[in-house]
Amino acid sequence: AVQIIAVTPDDEVLFVEQPRVALEGRTIEMPAGLVGDTHGADTLESAAARELVEETGWEPGRVEVLTVGYTTPGMSNERIALVRALDLRRVGEGGGVDGEAITVHAVPRTRAPAWLLEKAAEGYGIDLKVWAGLWMIDYEPDGSRRG
């Protein structure tokens, strides 16, 4: 799977809200999706670009794979790649495919942490990976400041 860290030209972080059956409620996440589920020749980059457009309506000019790791190694062998989408341009409305019922939120980057806490207080499930994504807007995986 891929999680896409995307910031619009207006310095807004893209989040998606969607229903999750396992949680019996709606969640706030960064755009994400499976690699190779319906596109056999997928790469991490191509899957990230496709999912970002499908879910948010924003197309990246380029995608950087930052790191790949396990989400719940005590329970599953699921791996996820954190990728940074750059040079975004608006190409549609988003909302997902096949009835995903996604709502797109473009949140000013300076407000994103407080907004996430507000959404959690309202009862939304917050995907913990969003916090890693927020950190990786400004930093490289090695901890150096993004230049």
Side-chain angles (χ1 to χ4, degrees):
V2 290
Q3 173 179 294
I4 304 111
I5 302 155
V7 179
T8 71
D10 291 330
D11 205 31
E12 298 168 315
V13 181
L14 295 177
F15 295 101
V16 293
E17 171 189 332
Q18 59 188 318
R20 292 296 190 183
V21 174
L23 300 180
E24 298 178 355
R26 296 185 72 76
T27 62
I28 302 293
E29 308 168 20
M30 285 184 164
L34 298 176
V35 179
D37 59 335
T38 59
H39 299 79
D42 257 352
T43 63
L44 295 173
E45 295 87 351
S46 66
R50 182 188 68 251
E51 291 289 343
L52 187 62
V53 171
E54 288 175 1
E55 293 189 3
T56 70
W58 287 88
E59 180 177 69
R62 60 192 171 103
V63 174
E64 296 176 343
V65 175
L66 300 172
T67 190
V68 180
Y70 297 97
T71 56
T72 53
M75 297 174 51
S76 168
N77 66 352
E78 178 188 55
R79 291 183 341 143
I80 193 163
L82 298 181
V83 301
R84 188 183 292 136
L86 301 163
D87 306 324
L88 301 186
R89 68 182 187 94
R90 190 71 186 247
V91 296
E93 292 302 311
V97 295
D98 301 326
E100 285 181 308
I102 291 172
T103 301
V104 181
H105 296 279
V107 179
R109 182 163 47 139
T110 57
R111 281 258 322 124
W115 182 82
L116 288 167
L117 294 174
E118 290 165 9
K119 288 300 189 183
E122 292 172 17
Y124 287 84
I126 307 297
D127 182 342
L128 284 177
K129 295 184 299 295
V130 300
W131 298 105
L134 286 177
W135 187 81
M136 287 192 167
I137 291 171
D138 295 315
Y139 295 92
E140 299 297 341
D142 68 2
S144 62
R145 197 94 159 108
R146 188 168 164 243

